[in-house]
Amino acid sequence: MSFLGRLLRKAAATMLGTGLALGAFAMGQKPAMAGDPEPIKIGSFLAVTGPASFLGDPELKTLQLYIEKINKEGGVLGRPLKLIHYDSQHLAKKAVTFTRRLIEQDKVDLIIGGSTTGTTMAVIKLVERAEIPFISLAGASIIIDPVKKWVFKTPHTDRLAVRKIYADMKKRGLTKIGLLSGSGGFDKSCAGNARKLAKEFGITIVADETHGKGDTDMTPQLTRIKNTPGVQAFLYCGFGAPTSIVAKNFKQLGMTIPHYQSHGSASMKFIKGAEGGAEGVRLPVAALLVAEQLPDDNPQKKVALAYKKAYESRYHDAVSTFGGHAYDALMIAVNAIKRAGTTDKAKVRDAIEQTKNYIGADGIYNMSPTDHLGLDEKSFVMVEVRNGTWKLLK
Amino acid sequence: MLAEFLQFLFSGLTVGAIYGLIGLGFAVIYNASHVINFAQGEFVMIGGMATVFLMKAGVPMPLAILIAIAGAAAVGWVLARFGIETARGSTVVGLIIITIGASILLRGLAQVIWDRNFHALPAFAGDTPIQILGAALLPQSLIIGTALVLTMLGLRLFFEHTRIGKAMQATAIDPLAAQLVGIDTRRIVRLSFVLSAALGAMAGVLVAPITMTYANVGVMLGLKGFAATIVGGLGNPLGAIAGGLIVGIAEAMTAGYLTSAYKDAVAFIIILFVLLFMPNGLFGRAEVTKV
Amino acid sequence: MNGTRLQRYGGLLLLALALALGPLFLQNGFHYNVAILAGLNAIVCIGLNLLIGYAGQISLGHAGFYALGAYASAILPDRFGFHPLGAMITGAVAVGLIAFAVARPILRLKGHYLAMATLGMGIIVSIVLDQEVDITGGPDGMPVGDLSAFGYVVSGNLAWYTLVAILLFITVWLALNLVHSPVGRALKAVHGSEIAAAAMGVDVFHYKVLVFVVSAIIASVAGSIFAHYSGFITPDEGSFIHSIELVTMVVLGGMASITGSIVGAVLLTVLPQMLADFHDYEMIVFGAILMSMMILMPKGLVPTLAGLFKGRRS
């Protein structure tokens, strides 16, 4: 048989495969409609499913709810908002892929996202290189410290969380603690802050344990903490599904020392998932979670209650602080676009940085070139889980 | 000291029993068909996830568990009938790839039909621990241990005292001779998939209250079950259970005394060690390669 | 000049032409991104196919080598001041040595045992990358510096495309040479029947080790390039799933077909991007492709299609 023929056939097969792929690829793009005002594109990647879903799920629902609402009221600058969202599932690799896609293919005007510190940190280089405003919904202080030109965030930092927790421990006379943290970005940052700040509060970390990313059984680590002589309290730095597992294992081992977690556990799903293990756990949360228990003269109360009502009546699901982070991020972005009068990325970025006295679900924001969070500390409060719900501690 | 050791031992025996049950599934299929079923972990996942979602739909727990196990068994039958049988004559590599494909397909389906989140199953007998010398033993661990013993007794009865069980034994020893004496080996292969899917699903239900369950839970559990089989010697059911307990205890002790970071690596280090230095497992028999 | 040689060079010429014309079809940065990733996957798959298709040895752990290359390029320049090229070469040499060291015992295993051993090895690599948080950044990954050489920094889509295209071309050329050499013929014999080949006096084992090492080094270099291109890597690069994806590409395109590996890599890189809106179904599609290919077209796409063309003609 002829070798040339065989060659041609092979080539044809290759061309066929590649051609099909490229053709279908090109078809995926739709031409823009003439006439309608061009929408403002808000890109987003969140951990809607997977172990961090109790962060990403309410965040996405909040964005959808309010973008719909804003569009009904006439949009922003006379243009409708369009949400382009991908589920990054708490995977840094997916976050990178999707961010690239949001910037290069979808050509969004602004990005809100990164439910977790890990996914946020993974895309910072891309975002800075593309010069696009980016508001993260993740907790760790490393996101905004040092300040990055295009990166902002809305939740309270882990450093503040640790300070609140340590102050509460000090008040109760607890000085020797066992620390457990996961290997995620938030966990590491939070545990690092716990180690750094311990001295200042006269606290000694007598046991320091870590667990892996997919771990579903923390019994060995908790056993070691339980058997550490002199341990008086326990602190867990983490977020998402592991928070429930830790609380559940804690109870299963019959541990009774005071138990603290971070604002990475501020969801009813934490309480439910722990199956009773969350009872008595103390954590710092954005005041949104206990909005009803706030004094009436607190300016945040009205905003928090309005958000809570809108969210709960639409989704029939308890509100969490994570949705609150998304609400604040969207409002800060929308206000900035309005003030800038354009979607020009540099101007929007400047406008975000100039956010002043914005009263949000998480508290009152005053950003500046040196502070890309700008959230007051008063709105961050200690709560305890009692009878399966949050009780504000005085 | 003792309390700590006991605690790690309890947790090692508990997960070890689960690995053993999963390993048993590998052994049953391998004996009937010489296939290593890389989708074994997905049977475990189906058991746990189906039970969780049936209970969410209001089905009482015992019934939900039965339906989940039956469902997994049905999936096992489909895999044997349409995956393995239609690919008769495939190479070993081919069969491995088919079962890996089935594993990915089943996980994908689980993510779409159910979801990607973590789910807990309530412990069968509450989770108030029993204190033994300062260590906490969960009632669920006792249930898992009992289930393992009952399963072993049941399988023994099945293999030695029923016609079909004896036929499976005969096929395992010599498929050709079995065929010559009139045993329908295709039926045996299907039955082995059904049986091992049911075993896997049972392990999945038993372990769900301890480790939670999710669409990808089967990947690691399946691989560790396989480690159990390799340690015990491929195709040796009792070896698989012993292997499971060895892997489980080694893992718990590593996590407890050395580092919890490398807990998951223990099973694979054991696999490599056994493969390289005693390829027939700790209790296996030598095999002759056919030309 | 004999036929095979003309066929070989003709194929290379065609490949060069296709690669050169590529940019005409790429309309934006995102298209370039997909093309670059497809090229890198194709490079790894050609190496892996030498092992699976020609030598008949399965590896479920090749993503481990890929990840080691990637992390060498991320860690060495950052922590130890290596030149990026030096880091890439160090990574490749280290991976080559590791592959050589493990190849001898591992390749004595057969079938299931070999699959399991390579899988175990790959998983141990990904666990180490996951757990050595202080060095690798743990599950959240780490950033990677730029690739620079001789005062030139590779940046911009076209530059990366060109680099990957050249590497792909070199890999194909290397692979063709290997396939058509006496070694290659020995490899074919291996896949046919190892014992028969041994009886013919072919040092089967030696060749298996050689191919294993070569394919590992190719994976390592591709990993390094990917790390620099992406600017950020995570232990997922070394995951079991990634190993399976690579095997799927080889199987889909066709075992023992270099053209097939390119087709398989391109299809399975483009497909998930097209399915992005349906990414819930991505795994279902992947699993279904693997199963149905193995059952219906065990030889893979390219050899089967080529066979069809041939059948119609004669």
Side-chain angles (χ1 to χ4, degrees), chain B residues 202-277:
Chain B
M202 190 175 82
V205 174
L206 287 167
V207 79
I210 293 180
T211 63
M212 309 188 86
T213 186
Y214 48 100
N216 288 339
V217 74
V219 181
M220 268 295 164
L221 282 174
L223 291 174
K224 287 176 184 173
F226 188 72
T229 330
I230 291 275
V231 170
L234 253 186
N236 176 350
L238 271 181
I241 294 196
L245 294 175
I246 290 172
V247 172
I249 292 171
E251 207 175 277
M253 294 301 164
T254 308
Y257 290 111
L258 293 172
T259 157
S260 40
Y262 285 99
K263 184 184 71 166
D264 283 336
V266 172
F268 300 99
I269 292 169
I270 293 179
I271 288 182
L272 283 180
F273 183 84
V274 170
L275 282 181
L276 298 184
F277 298 106

Side-chain angles (χ1 to χ4, degrees), chain A residues 247-268:
Chain A
K248 193 166 121 183
N249 290 161
F250 190 86
K251 182 185 161 211
Q252 285 170 343
L253 286 172
M255 292 171 77
T256 52
I257 52 175
H259 180 170
Y260 289 84
Q261 296 209 0
S262 74
H263 54 323
S265 319
S267 161
M268 271 319 260

